[in-house]
């Protein structure tokens, strides 16, 4: 490891040729293959540019992102990321430089098109960082292979093709099976494995519908996969920052794989060989900034292939940044401006140079999060094309500890790989088939007596990882032997301690000991079995560090930090991205932290999502990168003693902890846990509306099966809506038209949210839907916004197109919505953010639901109205006066804003592209216009809609 100690004063200097006005391209809406990691990297780039005093312009239609807040860029354009719109921005802003490496594949492809069309040359705009020629060499598959061949670096035997017929010919020459890999594509889109000529033809024809080029290459299925993150400056200083190993073998996209950092199965010579190759490749390509290189390695012969290079910030870059504490995007932006690595400092230690390779004294484990159960008919196998919608990252002292944490962070009902409610009809088939549930099948296989050799044969997963999973299963089995024994005996305590160090949760231990979870928690606390807060400092504690980047571990002997005596708040983040909880809640958490810091509070933030801005350690006073669970929150509270906890900014995951935290003696800031429970429990909230004489669709509790017919009759017959409590994005919610379907969906809803009430409501046909976002203080409204949905009721609000201010809703209906908002705020004594959804039908205005937390639409209305609802909510929650001159009147706006959903159906083979009451979209965009039509058209273009150039009239 090369480390240079340096003065902690940041280097800021005026350089010859430094640009004055820089345009940064964002990534647009979140979609499968391109998610919140680019909000993080773009935000870091903007921060680096502003430190230099440069004027920054951002184009990004993703209204939910942190980077599109006014604090980060001098000017933000919510416009489609297409050449015509970008050229208008370049001309209007007179930019002289552009950054294309911080907005994912969308920004990269847009940058290449700007160059090809002559826009950059015409306006005198230069590309900062990696030259476009180098980017072209990494994106064009044939150029890539030819360039690496020049320096003797091995790539897979391959041919680049542009037609399906040529793909079939290439496959015949190479020999089946073959891998089809798309050029200029995102998240493996258009790729696949073909084992026959027909499969090859079908895959190629499907791919060429969206990409211009395919590489047909030898299939390396079963080989191990490794990734290296590399930085290089213009002076040719070059470093590998992080090396990562995929637990899953080649044949599964790295975004779909379980990933571990640092690599666990390479010896030092093998690591050095791959490191040397990475540096040689990046130097030959001429990368300036940061890039990612992926390898396939034969586990038996030490043969290797370079699979691809991403000459931009990537999903893996965000993971590597959070895994090592090395801010890759920030450093890459500085290098693009001409700085060298020795001139820049390590922002974690604040005393050492950025010209070093991080050393880790911990293990990081990333697991993707899928939501395939939301899509009927979808192919649930995992392969070369991404299907996951988010990911989690866990930190531990051992792989077992990190893996157990990560599986819980997914929030799929599993307490660990060996603690999943999933049942497999054919265990060996479930182990052999790559899927979101395979890790749980592997653990069950070991519990059932399968050997490591047999599981390795079925999966091609390295025996090292399988041995660790087997150890988890064995520790759990041993723990069961102590059920019914004396709890405080040395043997029982030793077994519990071993289980905690192996990553078992209190709940998993309690299940094996046949005890209540609370009893296990009290037992271990009484005997000093508590987690410690450990630091991530990127130098393995070899140098003094001032890091605030922390994680919990039972394997640490003592905490690396002590709590301060300042007044402090703990903000709970949103956890992994999923359909229904995405970057919008990161925006909420970030703004809550920024406002609390501005008001003089020490801020603690708990989150486990490596894609987020909220898990940037520069954001808050102390970042705890750990799971969002009752156990973890209580552990942080025990260690740090915050004055209060904020649960209303992280979506459903955080809000659902309210009752348990309050019962455990934790002070919640804002609306009470009892009020939150009243709003989340469908039956209690409906009863409250009846008490307040507020209209709602007719409702009844879902009773026994024998009472279903009577329940439906009481509602006036079918259709009815099944509504479970405490769920996110309409999960298990269904419009039902028959008694048979009603039984099935009530069963599903009860299984998803056990011990929570399920209600039936009359489904209102042909009704209009409006949304009410607000902030209240002690039951009085401070600020609110009413937006309308273009789609009729029956489409989930997250899938609907929102318009603000309302265009077709009567003033009387808007006024009634505000009246209802006031009544509910008073009744529940709301302090903080809340959201209501209402139906408008004729003269009636009816409430559907109310969420006493930040909402998916709050970033949209905040940016459209020019009032930051989250900052006002924090001020209300801590007792501060509202911001002076708070704007509340929508009628004063002389523009219209439209928010449109982004769908990823083209990624999910077999999924029916239908919309309903359960959310299906993966992201959103927004646009502004002088008229509704202008804003709507821009928003649709920004979400990928193509205007038809010809049509047919059917009479």
């Amino acid at each position: 490891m090369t480390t240079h100690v340096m003065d902690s004063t940041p280097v800021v200097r005026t350089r010859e040729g430094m640009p004055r006005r820089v345009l940064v391209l964002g990534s647009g809406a979140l979609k499968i293959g391109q998610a919140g990691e680019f909000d993080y990297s773009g935000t870091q780039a903007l921060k680096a540019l502003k430190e230099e005093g440069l004027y920054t312009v951002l184009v990004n239609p993703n209204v939910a992102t942190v980077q599109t807040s006014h604090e980060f860029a001098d000017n933000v354009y919510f416009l489609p990321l297409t050449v015509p719109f970008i050229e208008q921005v370049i001309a209007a802003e007179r930019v002289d430089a552009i950054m294309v490496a911080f907005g994912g594949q969308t920004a990269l492809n847009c940058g290449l098109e700007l160059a090809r069309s002559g826009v950059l040359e015409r306006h005198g705009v230069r590309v900062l960082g990696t030259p476009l020629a180098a980017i072209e060499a990494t994106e064009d598959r044939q150029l890539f292979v030819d360039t690496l061949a020049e320096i003797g670096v091995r790539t897979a035997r391959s041919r680049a093709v542009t037609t399906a017929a040529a793909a079939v010919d290439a496959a015949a020459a190479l020999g089946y099976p073959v891998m089809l890999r798309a050029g200029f594509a995102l998240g493996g889109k258009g790729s696949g494995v073909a084992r026959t000529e027909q499969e090859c033809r079908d895959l190629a024809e499907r791919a060429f519908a969206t990409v211009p080029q395919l590489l047909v290459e030898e299939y390396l299925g079963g080989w191990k996969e490794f990734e290296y993150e590399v930085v290089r400056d213009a002076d040719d200083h070059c470093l590998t920052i992080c090396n990562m190993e995929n637990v899953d073998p080649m044949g599964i996209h790295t975004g779909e794989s379980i990933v571990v950092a640092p690599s666990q199965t390479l010896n030092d010579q093998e690591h050095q060989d791959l490191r040397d190759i990475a540096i040689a490749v990046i130097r030959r390509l001429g990368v300036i900034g940061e890039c990612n290189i992926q390898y396939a390695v034969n586990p038996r012969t030490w043969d290797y292939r370079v699979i691809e290079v991403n000459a931009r910030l990537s999903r893996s870059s965000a993971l590597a940044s959070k895994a090592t504490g090395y801010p890759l995007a920030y450093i890459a932006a500085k290098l693009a401006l001409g700085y060298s690595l020795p001139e820049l400092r390590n922002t974690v230690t604040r005393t050492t140079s950025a010209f070093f390779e991080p050393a880790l004294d911990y293990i990081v484990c990333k697991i993707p999060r899928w939501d395939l159960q939301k899509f009927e008919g979808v192919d649930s196998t995992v392969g070369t094309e991404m299907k996951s919608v988010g990911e989690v990252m866990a930190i531990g002292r051992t792989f077992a500890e990190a893996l157990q944490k990560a599986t819980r962070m997914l929030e799929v009902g599993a307490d660990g790989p060996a603690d999943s409610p999933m049942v497999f009809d054919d265990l060996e088939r479930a182990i052999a088939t790559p899927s979101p549930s395979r890790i749980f099948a592997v653990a069950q296989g070991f519990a059932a007596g399968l050997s490591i050799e047999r599981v390795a044969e079925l999966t091609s997963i390295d025996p090292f990882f399988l041995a660790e999973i087997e150890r988890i299963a064995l520790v759990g089995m041993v723990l069961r032997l102590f059920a019914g024994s004396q709890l405080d005996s040395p043997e029982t305590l030793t077994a519990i301690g071993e289980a905690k160090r192996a990553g078992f949760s209190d709940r998993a231990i309690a299940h094996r000991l046949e005890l209540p979870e609370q009893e296990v928690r009290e037992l271990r606390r009484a005997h000093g079995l508590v987690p410690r807060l450990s630091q991530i400092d990127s130098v393995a504690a070899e140098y003094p560090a001032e890091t605030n980047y922390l994680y919990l571990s039972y394997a640490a002997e003592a905490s690396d930090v002590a709590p301060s005596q300042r007044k402090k708040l703990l903000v709970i983040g949103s956890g992994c991205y999923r359909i229904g909880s995405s970057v919008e809640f990161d925006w909420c958490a970030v703004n809550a932290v920024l406002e609390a810091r501005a008001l003089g509070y020490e801020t603690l933030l708990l989150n486990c999502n490596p894609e987020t801005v909220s898990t940037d350690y520069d954001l808050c006073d102390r970042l705890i990168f750990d799971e969002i669970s009752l156990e973890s929150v209580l552990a942080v509270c025990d260690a740090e003693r915050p004055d209060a906890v904020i649960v209303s900014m992280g979506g459903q995951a955080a809000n659902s902890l309210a009752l348990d935290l309050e019962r455990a003696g934790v002070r919640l800031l804002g609306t009470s846990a009892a009020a939150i429970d009243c709003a989340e429990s469908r039956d209690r909230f409906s009863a409250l509306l009846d008490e307040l004489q507020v209209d709602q669709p007719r409702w009844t509790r879902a009773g026994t099966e024998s009472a279903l017919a009577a329940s439906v009759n009481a509602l006036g017959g079918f259709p009815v809506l099944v509504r479970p409590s405490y769920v996110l994005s309409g999960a298990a919610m269904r419009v039902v038209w028959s008694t048979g379907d009603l039984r099935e969906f009530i069963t599903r809803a009860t299984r998803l949210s056990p011990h929570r009430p399920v209600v039936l409501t009359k489904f209102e046909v042909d009704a209009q839907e409006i949304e009410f976002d607000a902030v209240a203080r002690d039951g009085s409204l401070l600020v609110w916004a009413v937006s309308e949905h273009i789609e009729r009721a029956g489409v989930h609000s997250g899938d609907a197109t929102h318009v603000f201010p309302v265009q077709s809703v009567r003033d009387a209906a808007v006024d009634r919505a505000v009246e209802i908002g006031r009544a509910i705020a008073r009744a529940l004594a709301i302090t903080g953010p809340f959201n209501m959804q209402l139906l408008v039908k004729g003269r009636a205005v009816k409430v559907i639901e109310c969420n006493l937390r930040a909402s998916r639409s709050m970033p949209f209305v905040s940016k459209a109205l020019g009032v930051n609802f989250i900052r006002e909510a924090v001020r209300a929650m801590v007792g501060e006066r509202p911001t002076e001159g708070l704007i509340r009147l929508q009628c004063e706006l002389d523009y219209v804003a439209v928010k449109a959903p982004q769908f990823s159906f083209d990624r999910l083979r077999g999924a029916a592209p239908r919309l309903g009451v359960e959310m299906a979209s993966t992201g959103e965009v927004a646009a502004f216009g002088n008229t509704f039509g202008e804003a709507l058209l821009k928003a649709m273009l920004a979400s990928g809609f193509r205007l038809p150039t010809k049509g047919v009239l059917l009479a």
Side-chain angles (χ1 to χ4, degrees):
M1 180 185 71
T2 304
T3 306
H4 297 271
V5 179
M6 64 180 293
D7 180 68
S8 61
T9 306
V11 176
V12 178
R13 66 180 66 176
T14 302
R15 292 174 167 272
E16 289 185 19
M18 181 80 82
R20 296 177 301 106
R21 303 169 74 87
V22 181
L23 171 62
V24 177
L25 298 183
S27 63
L30 270 61
K31 62 195 80 170
I32 290 177
Q34 188 168 268
E37 62 270 11
F38 298 109
D39 187 26
Y40 166 69
S41 60
T43 301
Q44 287 268 305
L46 290 168
K47 174 187 169 186
L49 295 174
K50 293 200 82 171
E51 284 181 355
E52 302 300 322
L54 304 178
Y55 181 85
T56 55
V57 180
L58 172 69
V59 179
N60 192 358
N62 191 336
V63 74
T65 55
V66 175
Q67 65 183 244
T68 52
S69 300
H70 68 85
E71 296 95 336
F72 294 93
D74 292 294
N75 230 343
V76 178
Y77 287 83
F78 294 91
L79 289 172
L81 286 152
T82 60
V83 169
F85 284 105
I86 302 297
E87 183 170 15
Q88 292 180 55
V89 173
I90 288 172
E93 292 287 349
R94 306 187 314 281
V95 299
D96 57 352
I98 186 171
M99 284 185 163
V100 302
F102 298 90
Q105 196 67 41
T106 298
L108 209 62
N109 288 349
C110 185
L112 289 170
E113 187 57 33
L114 286 167
R116 291 177 189 137
S117 61
V119 170
L120 300 183
E121 184 179 4
R122 186 158 57 246
H123 294 276
V125 178
R126 63 189 171 104
V127 176
L128 297 178
T130 302
L132 287 180
I135 293 172
E136 187 91 43
T138 61
E139 294 296 316
D140 184 300
R141 296 292 180 180
Q142 191 61 57
L143 274 176
F144 178 68
V145 169
D146 293 344
T147 302
L148 267 60
E150 294 173 11
I151 56 173
V153 170
R154 287 175 235 166
T155 56
R157 292 184 299 111
S158 62
R159 287 188 188 179
V161 298
T162 55
T163 67
V168 170
D169 291 342
L174 290 169
Y176 290 100
V178 293
M179 173 77 179
L180 276 66
R181 193 181 297 276
F184 304 92
L186 170 70
K189 187 174 183 180
S191 66
V193 178
R195 291 177 169 81
T196 66
E197 179 179 324
Q198 190 58 50
E199 283 185 2
C200 181
R201 190 180 302 279
D202 291 345
L203 276 170
E205 289 175 351
R206 178 169 169 256
F208 282 127
T210 56
V211 299
Q213 183 196 62
L214 281 177
L215 193 72
V216 182
E217 66 181 30
E218 63 176 321
Y219 179 52
L220 304 173
W223 288 33
K224 294 159 73 170
E225 187 166 0
F226 298 90
E227 298 181 68
Y228 280 68
E229 298 295 322
V230 189
V231 293
R232 177 179 176 268
D233 62 26
D235 296 335
D236 204 31
H237 297 106
C238 205
L239 294 172
T240 57
I241 299 304
C242 183
N243 70 311
M244 296 172 280
E245 178 171 2
N246 289 9
V247 173
D248 298 286
M250 285 289 295
I252 299 172
H253 191 280
T254 183
E256 304 285 84
S257 298
I258 299 174
V259 176
V260 180
S263 299
Q264 298 296 292
T265 67
L266 291 175
N267 63 37
D268 185 61
Q269 184 59 54
E270 292 164 345
H271 162 62
Q272 292 301 331
D273 288 347
L274 295 182
R275 178 185 177 277
D276 291 345
I277 293 165
I279 290 174
V281 168
I282 274 45
R283 283 180 167 150
R284 172 61 186 87
L285 291 170
V287 169
I288 297 175
E290 192 274 347
C291 70
N292 162 276
I293 183 168
Q294 296 172 23
Y295 296 94
V297 173
N298 189 316
R300 293 170 294 279
T301 64
W302 186 239
D303 194 7
Y304 79 90
R305 302 286 189 275
V306 171
I307 301 302
E308 66 179 9
V309 171
N310 289 305
R312 56 170 171 83
L313 276 295
S314 66
R315 185 183 317 102
S316 298
S317 306
L319 175 65
S321 294
K322 303 300 172 68
T324 62
Y326 192 101
L328 283 165
Y330 173 86
I331 295 296
K334 293 287 191 179
L335 299 180
L337 293 175
Y339 282 93
S340 68
L341 283 165
E343 289 178 304
L344 300 174
R345 73 177 182 185
N346 176 354
T347 57
V348 176
T349 64
R350 301 178 187 172
T351 58
T352 57
S353 165
F355 188 36
F356 78 108
E357 295 187 347
L360 280 59
D361 56 1
Y362 50 85
I363 300 290
V364 164
C365 180
K366 178 218 86 175
I367 303 183
R369 157 85 189 216
W370 295 268
D371 271 340
L372 299 179
Q373 75 283 353
K374 286 181 170 287
F375 302 95
E376 293 180 14
V378 71
D379 177 6
S380 62
T381 58
V382 171
T384 59
E385 278 191 289
M386 272 191 72
K387 297 178 182 178
S388 59
V389 293
E391 62 190 31
V392 297
M393 185 186 98
I395 309 170
R397 293 297 177 92
T398 64
F399 174 68
E401 183 180 35
L403 180 67
Q404 294 253 64
K405 280 188 185 182
T407 51
R408 289 195 293 273
M409 290 171 176
L410 292 173
E411 297 178 47
V412 294
D415 273 321
D419 290 270
S420 169
M422 299 175 189
V423 177
F424 303 99
D425 295 330
D426 186 331
L427 195 54
E428 287 208 356
R429 177 178 293 181
I431 292 170
T433 305
S435 73
S437 59
R438 177 155 80 171
I439 186 69
F440 306 110
V442 167
Q444 288 188 26
F446 286 131
L450 288 180
S451 67
I452 290 175
E453 291 74 19
R454 177 57 180 156
V455 177
E457 181 184 348
L458 291 169
T459 63
S460 296
I461 295 174
D462 191 279
F464 168 82
F465 298 114
L466 297 177
E468 288 291 287
I469 298 170
E470 182 187 51
R471 184 168 77 87
I472 290 170
L474 290 175
V475 169
M477 293 166 67
V478 168
L479 201 57
R480 290 184 188 277
L481 301 176
F482 293 89
S485 64
Q486 185 179 341
L487 286 182
D488 58 356
S489 70
E491 294 79 12
T492 305
L493 292 173
T494 297
I496 292 174
E498 177 65 21
K500 295 306 291 184
R501 285 186 291 275
F504 282 81
S505 67
D506 287 346
R507 185 165 56 182
I509 293 171
H511 174 69
R512 287 168 170 78
L513 295 180
E514 300 174 5
L515 293 171
E517 180 182 347
Q518 180 62 25
E519 195 168 333
V520 170
R521 184 171 298 120
E522 290 172 356
L523 174 71
R524 65 167 179 76
R525 279 174 165 173
H527 290 83
L529 266 175
V530 295
R532 314 294 183 182
L533 281 171
S534 298
Q535 286 179 314
I536 288 178
D537 60 13
S538 77
V539 291
E542 291 184 28
Y543 288 82
E546 300 176 28
T547 177
N548 62 342
Y549 188 3
L550 311 168
Y551 65 97
L552 293 165
S553 177
Y554 281 87
E557 294 182 359
S559 289
D560 291 337
V561 294
S564 76
Q565 301 304 308
R566 294 175 57 194
K567 58 180 182 178
K568 65 185 77 169
L569 299 176
L570 171 61
V571 178
I572 309 297
S574 63
C576 60
Y577 289 163
R578 67 202 84 178
I579 291 177
S581 181
S582 193
V583 69
E584 64 276 358
F585 293 114
D586 195 49
W587 180 86
C588 294
V590 166
N591 276 277
V593 166
L594 292 175
E595 187 63 23
R597 292 188 83 175
L599 294 172
Y601 287 87
E602 180 180 336
T603 53
L604 317 174
L605 190 134
L606 175 67
N607 205 358
C608 58
N609 187 335
E611 301 176 78
T612 61
V613 178
S614 65
T615 50
D616 177 0
Y617 52 83
D618 279 351
L619 178 79
C620 55
D621 293 295
R622 285 195 176 177
L623 168 66
I624 299 97
F625 206 112
D626 224 288
E627 59 187 296
I628 294 172
S629 65
L630 177 65
E631 180 179 339
S632 293
V633 175
L634 292 179
V636 172
C637 289
D638 287 344
E640 288 289 333
R641 301 294 179 187
D643 294 273
V645 175
I646 298 177
V647 298
S648 56
M649 302 302 172
Q652 194 66 40
N655 220 39
S656 295
L657 295 174
L659 267 181
D660 288 336
L661 287 173
E662 192 171 79
R663 287 170 182 155
V666 174
R667 180 184 169 227
L668 302 183
L669 200 62
T671 307
S672 70
I676 292 170
D677 184 60
C678 181
E680 291 285 353
S681 300
R682 301 290 189 188
D683 57 343
R684 291 187 61 201
F685 182 65
S686 290
L688 173 66
L689 294 180
D690 288 344
E691 183 183 325
L692 296 174
Q693 297 184 330
V694 169
D695 280 351
Q696 62 181 312
R698 280 172 290 176
W699 71 281
T700 184
R701 292 177 180 85
T704 61
E705 184 171 333
S706 60
L708 287 182
S711 298
V712 173
N713 289 335
L715 298 177
F718 291 107
V720 297
L721 187 62
V722 177
R723 298 176 65 88
S725 299
Y726 279 93
V727 294
L728 174 72
S729 71
M733 197 179 294
R734 287 292 188 278
V735 178
V736 180
W737 298 78
S738 69
T739 302
D741 286 344
L742 184 58
R743 293 191 188 96
E744 177 186 346
F745 289 120
I746 287 177
T747 300
R748 285 191 195 180
T750 304
R751 189 183 305 124
L752 178 69
S753 191
H755 315 302
R756 307 282 198 184
V758 177
V759 302
L760 305 179
T761 64
K762 179 64 179 176
F763 179 68
E764 302 275 357
V765 179
D766 198 32
Q768 193 171 17
E769 189 166 345
I770 61 175
E771 200 128 349
F772 180 86
D773 286 290
V775 174
R777 178 177 177 179
D778 299 327
S780 297
L781 290 186
L782 295 177
V783 59
W784 63 89
V786 179
S787 56
E788 69 174 302
H789 298 181
I790 291 180
E791 294 80 3
R792 309 303 279 178
V795 173
H796 190 279
S797 64
D799 291 344
T801 308
H802 289 226
V803 185
F804 179 82
V806 297
Q807 301 294 296
S808 64
V809 180
R810 295 177 296 108
D811 290 345
V814 173
D815 292 342
R816 178 56 181 154
V818 176
E819 287 177 14
I820 293 171
R822 290 188 193 280
I824 291 176
R826 278 196 304 271
L828 296 176
I830 297 173
T831 295
F834 72 105
N835 164 275
M836 284 194 310
Q837 291 158 37
L838 308 99
L839 297 178
V840 178
K841 191 171 184 179
R843 295 187 176 277
V845 178
K846 301 182 180 182
V847 174
I848 305 173
E849 68 178 14
C850 180
N851 295 302
L852 302 193
R853 54 169 171 79
S855 72
R856 189 177 305 104
S857 50
M858 270 185 187
F860 170 62
V861 296
S862 293
K863 292 171 185 178
L865 191 57
V867 177
N868 192 312
F869 278 44
I870 298 304
R871 295 205 174 206
E872 294 305 324
V874 172
R875 297 182 71 85
M877 292 159 81
V878 300
E880 291 284 335
R881 294 172 57 85
T883 302
E884 291 294 326
L886 199 61
I887 302 170
R888 294 185 301 201
L889 299 178
Q890 301 178 40
C891 59
E892 294 180 357
L893 300 182
D894 58 359
Y895 53 84
V896 179
V898 172
K899 177 170 80 75
Q902 174 77 57
F903 298 98
S904 296
F905 288 117
D906 60 340
R907 293 284 187 160
L908 304 171
R909 196 173 305 178
R914 292 194 301 264
L915 302 185
V917 293
E918 184 167 2
M919 192 171 160
S921 59
T922 54
E924 61 193 30
V925 294
F928 295 75
N930 293 322
T931 65
F932 163 65
E934 179 189 347
L936 176 63
L937 183 58
K938 286 179 181 175
M940 292 177 69
L941 290 171
S943 67
F945 178 79
R946 302 293 180 98
L947 291 177
T949 56
K950 58 183 178 181
V952 176
L953 175 63
L954 299 177

